[in-house]
Amino acid sequence: MNDINRQVILIARPAGIAQAEHFAIRHSRVDQPGPGEILVRNHYLSVEPAMRGWIADSDNYAAPVAIGSVMRALAAGQVVASGDDAYQVGDYVTGWFGWQDFARVRTDQVVQRTNAPEMRASLGILGINGVTAFLALTLIGQPRAGDTVLVSTAAGAVGSAVGQIARLMGCRTIGIAGGPDKVRRCVDQFGYDSAIDYRGEDVGVAVARHAPQGVDIYFDNVAGAISDAVLPHLAMRGRVVACGTASIDRWNPWPQGPRVERHLLVKRARMEGFVIFDHMDRYGDAVAQLRAWIAQGQLTWREEILDGIDACPDALAGVYRGENDGKRLIRLV
Amino acid sequence: MNDINRQVILIARPAGIAQAEHFAIRHSRVDQPGPGEILVRNHYLSVEPAMRGWIADSDNYAAPVAIGSVMRALAAGQVVASGDDAYQVGDYVTGWFGWQDFARVRTDQVVQRTNAPEMRASLGILGINGVTAFLALTLIGQPRAGDTVLVSTAAGAVGSAVGQIARLMGCRTIGIAGGPDKVRRCVDQFGYDSAIDYRGEDVGVAVARHAPQGVDIYFDNVAGAISDAVLPHLAMRGRVVACGTASIDRWNPWPQGPRVERHLLVKRARMEGFVIFDHMDRYGDAVAQLRAWIAQGQLTWREEILDGIDACPDALAGVYRGENDGKRLIRLV
């Protein structure tokens, strides 16, 4: 066993999106697990848009990652030493193991058990992204057959799952993505009925054309100008799933936008925030449903694998530059 | 029977709040009702903040009042001629009878039957205002005992009912009103646990002080700067009942404000619009509940009576100037 642990450390708090220079790679010794702990060798590290929020020093759903500590991240790997009878050496696990080679963690940091072939999917479609898509769409969006569902970051890890699940539920789906490649992928790979290129079209005009009866569910991963263009096109009793704010670089100073109250009132519409961590009791059932759809060939996804821990520091900024092609993962082993 | 009908006509469409000069009083002959119609002599005309929306030439929940037509309004009065067997001369009715002495209307314009002593209440606490308060609070706010409920226009016709009903449901209530008289009335007459004067205090600072655990339900009748100050103080899973936008003078050009998505996401909060006209199937039950609370001495209200139809043209503008002391009514008989 390699006893050097390379750890990606947050060394400065960015005002906006964390860039490569906000991280450094530290070499540490590997610690053996104590009672109730395991030592995990990470095979794959996850890169999430939500990391921006985990880093930001502002109101959020968890305490921000401390300066000088390992970057918080989901990862999948194999138990290499165990201080907990429930976990054996060789077990595959996915959990809050951080951007590092080895994680010595309490076993409550394990999110799910996995296996070698599903390790990567457990960080995406069979993990936080797929479960978020399924639960946020169903619990907040409450789709009914025939609804028109509009999805931003429609080709992304969450959005692409939302579009496919909505279609499985009998909805008409419209994607919003950036650039002709992603727009084509929305329709060709993810089965959207149509897609809008927010870089090349006036989003409001396009939404009116693609959804002449209005948008019943807007699954919002971006906030900002795209959402502002969508809201006037909500259908009566429309639902806005507030799942992410990827288009907003920073919340200090707090950004302004067109007021939403009148849209909500006139359309009797609802906007509601969703954070997956509130719904961990449904996680296992959601994974089982997603796995069944995959087995039936009804759910597909894209992954983009970067090799080596040195890819970490710029990986998040790259997602915000729109460079990734599907769920971005870092392969270590 | 006086056969001259004085009618308050909308003669110009205001950019903001309708002022006296946007109306004129026209004298017409009284028409006899045809089959399926009744002729109602109005005793009381209602003045609602929502009239601003009924007049505005923008997206709304009903077609705007046409220029040259009688101002749309609820009114209460007595049937003086009937072309419908279900209504007898002498019956008391409340409905969409407009700002005029006499209304010849189809009987589907009747909202509820009433009686002489309840005519005024049927336009307020036992009518659209009380029913809106009760249904919007319960259906969207979903109050639970112990919740902290914050109400804007807390001394108004809807707000004062919301505060009292929330308290009856075991909630802690905080009112927001303009000026020391209304603030005192919130606590002394309407039983709020505390009240904030938005004219004399920093609303955000005051909300943080009065609701240190956060606001579970914000019943929003105003939108705008008051709401902007409230939203950062939502509790986890807070609910915002979007019931009115009284503080916004005009929606053209569309006003800007601090973005809301992050509040909704971080707090897993919900904002939802409410329009009473979607819930007319529950109207009768709601009135019965409100009447029971009144009979038990648990629900009080204020009315302000202006005399004569000449008071109509400036009556709505006066509400927006904050002049009214409770539900504003025009007495004709």
Side-chain angles (χ1 to χ4, degrees):
Chain A
M1 190 174 101
N2 183 348
D3 65 352
I4 293 298
N5 187 16
R6 292 169 302 169
Q7 301 179 302
V8 181
I9 305 297
L10 183 69
I11 57 169
R13 198 166 303 284
I17 308 300
Q19 304 296 317
E21 62 265 29
H22 296 100
F23 299 100
I25 294 180
R26 180 174 74 189
H27 290 225
S28 310
R29 288 190 61 85
V30 177
D31 296 323
Q32 288 305 304
E37 294 182 336
I38 51 176
L39 181 67
V40 178
R41 181 173 194 179
N42 287 332
H43 290 221
Y44 292 96
L45 308 178
S46 184
V47 182
E48 325 276 353
M51 286 173 153
R52 190 267 308 264
W54 306 346
I55 292 170
D57 188 17
S58 60
D59 266 0
N60 208 315
Y61 42 80
V65 176
I67 300 297
S69 68
V70 177
M71 179 57 203
R72 183 182 304 159
L74 287 161
Q78 207 169 11
V79 176
V80 292
S82 178
D84 184 325
D85 289 346
Y87 292 89
Q88 307 304 316
V89 171
D91 284 356
Y92 289 93
V93 286
T94 301
W96 295 102
F97 306 149
W99 275 357
Q100 55 186 339
D101 288 310
F102 293 93
R104 195 195 79 183
V105 292
R106 293 196 320 277
T107 53
D108 63 4
Q109 297 303 293
V110 175
V111 173
Q112 64 197 97
R113 288 172 178 276
T114 185
N115 53 54
E118 277 188 358
M119 259 196 293
R120 297 198 314 230
S122 77
L123 295 170
I125 189 73
L126 284 178
I128 191 171
N129 304 138
V131 172
T132 295
F134 178 61
L135 293 180
L137 176 65
T138 52
L139 295 178
I140 296 186
Q142 301 176 352
R144 292 169 297 223
D147 277 353
T148 294
V149 178
L150 179 66
V151 184
S152 57
T153 68
V158 172
S160 63
V162 170
Q164 294 176 85
I165 296 167
R167 193 158 174 267
L168 286 167
M169 293 180 165
C171 300
R172 209 163 68 80
T173 57
I174 306 165
I176 303 177
D181 289 348
K182 287 183 179 171
V183 163
R184 197 174 310 113
R185 194 171 305 144
C186 282
V187 175
D188 292 348
Q189 180 173 3
F190 300 124
Y192 285 92
D193 291 295
S194 60
I196 295 165
D197 180 358
Y198 72 83
R199 292 180 182 164
E201 303 175 67
D202 179 308
V203 174
V205 170
V207 171
R209 191 174 67 245
H210 290 272
Q213 310 300 317
V215 173
D216 297 296
I217 300 175
Y218 170 46
F219 197 105
D220 181 11
N221 289 310
V222 296
I226 290 175
S227 297
D228 297 340
V230 170
L231 253 64
H233 302 286
L234 285 179
M236 288 295 283
R237 303 190 171 280
R239 289 82 76 195
V240 178
V241 184
C243 189
T245 60
S247 79
I248 309 287
D249 269 5
R250 57 194 70 193
W251 291 89
N252 185 10
W254 199 275
Q256 305 278 306
R259 303 199 71 89
V260 303
E261 298 97 328
R262 187 141 195 86
H263 296 307
L264 298 182
L265 186 57
V266 170
K267 302 291 180 56
R268 296 77 147 162
R270 172 161 56 84
M271 287 180 76
E272 186 168 351
F274 179 90
V275 174
I276 182 64
F277 306 122
D278 296 340
H279 303 278
M280 297 309 279
D281 56 320
R282 296 172 187 260
Y283 201 97
D285 287 348
V287 169
Q289 174 65 75
L290 294 161
R291 190 182 279 116
W293 277 325
I294 292 171
Q296 295 160 13
Q298 299 197 291
L299 202 49
T300 184
W301 67 96
R302 287 180 88 85
E303 287 168 351
E304 179 204 58
I305 312 296
L306 307 181
D307 271 303
I309 202 159
D310 292 336
C312 283
D314 191 47
L316 178 61
V319 166
Y320 277 93
R321 291 191 300 266
E323 292 171 2
N324 58 306
D325 175 16
K327 171 69 183 189
R328 180 169 274 195
L329 298 172
I330 314 286
R331 174 162 47 200
L332 300 183
V333 176
Chain B
M1 191 172 102
N2 184 345
D3 64 353
I4 292 298
N5 187 17
R6 294 170 300 169
Q7 302 179 301
V8 182
I9 305 295
L10 184 68
I11 57 168
R13 198 167 303 286
I17 308 299
Q19 305 296 318
E21 62 265 30
H22 296 100
F23 299 100
I25 295 181
R26 181 173 73 189
H27 289 227
S28 312
R29 289 189 60 84
V30 176
D31 298 322
Q32 289 305 305
E37 293 182 335
I38 51 177
L39 181 67
V40 179
R41 180 174 195 178
N42 288 331
H43 291 220
Y44 292 97
L45 308 178
S46 183
V47 182
E48 325 276 352
M51 286 174 154
R52 189 267 307 265
W54 307 345
I55 292 170
D57 187 17
S58 60
D59 266 0
N60 209 316
Y61 41 80
V65 176
I67 301 298
S69 69
V70 176
M71 179 58 203
R72 183 182 304 157
L74 287 161
Q78 206 169 10
V79 176
V80 292
S82 177
D84 184 326
D85 289 347
Y87 292 88
Q88 307 304 316
V89 171
D91 285 356
Y92 288 92
V93 287
T94 301
W96 295 102
F97 306 149
W99 274 357
Q100 54 187 339
D101 288 308
F102 292 92
R104 194 195 79 183
V105 293
R106 293 195 319 276
T107 52
D108 63 3
Q109 298 302 295
V110 175
V111 173
Q112 64 197 98
R113 287 172 178 276
T114 184
N115 53 56
E118 277 188 358
M119 259 195 294
R120 296 198 318 230
S122 77
L123 295 170
I125 189 72
L126 284 179
I128 192 170
N129 304 139
V131 172
T132 294
F134 177 60
L135 293 180
L137 177 66
T138 52
L139 296 178
I140 296 186
Q142 300 177 352
R144 291 169 298 224
D147 277 353
T148 294
V149 177
L150 179 66
V151 183
S152 57
T153 67
V158 172
S160 64
V162 170
Q164 294 176 86
I165 295 168
R167 192 156 175 268
L168 285 167
M169 293 182 165
C171 300
R172 207 163 69 79
T173 58
I174 306 165
I176 303 177
D181 289 348
K182 288 184 178 170
V183 163
R184 197 173 313 112
R185 193 171 306 144
C186 282
V187 174
D188 292 348
Q189 181 173 2
F190 300 124
Y192 285 92
D193 291 293
S194 61
I196 296 165
D197 180 358
Y198 73 82
R199 292 180 183 164
E201 303 176 67
D202 178 309
V203 175
V205 170
V207 171
R209 190 174 69 246
H210 290 272
Q213 310 300 317
V215 174
D216 296 296
I217 299 174
Y218 170 47
F219 197 106
D220 181 13
N221 289 311
V222 296
I226 291 175
S227 297
D228 297 341
V230 170
L231 253 62
H233 302 286
L234 285 179
M236 289 295 283
R237 304 190 170 280
R239 287 84 74 196
V240 178
V241 184
C243 190
T245 60
S247 79
I248 308 288
D249 268 6
R250 57 193 70 193
W251 291 88
N252 184 12
W254 201 273
Q256 304 278 306
R259 304 198 70 90
V260 302
E261 299 96 327
R262 187 141 195 87
H263 297 307
L264 298 182
L265 187 56
V266 170
K267 301 292 179 55
R268 293 81 147 159
R270 172 161 56 85
M271 289 181 76
E272 187 167 351
F274 181 89
V275 173
I276 183 63
F277 307 122
D278 296 341
H279 303 277
M280 296 307 281
D281 56 320
R282 297 173 187 262
Y283 201 97
D285 287 349
V287 169
Q289 173 65 75
L290 293 160
R291 189 182 280 116
W293 276 324
I294 292 170
Q296 294 160 15
Q298 300 198 292
L299 202 48
T300 184
W301 68 96
R302 288 181 89 85
E303 287 166 352
E304 179 204 58
I305 312 295
L306 306 181
D307 271 305
I309 203 159
D310 293 336
C312 283
D314 192 47
L316 178 61
V319 167
Y320 277 93
R321 291 191 301 265
E323 291 171 3
N324 58 307
D325 175 15
K327 170 70 183 188
R328 179 168 274 196
L329 298 172
I330 313 287
R331 175 163 46 201
L332 299 184
V333 177

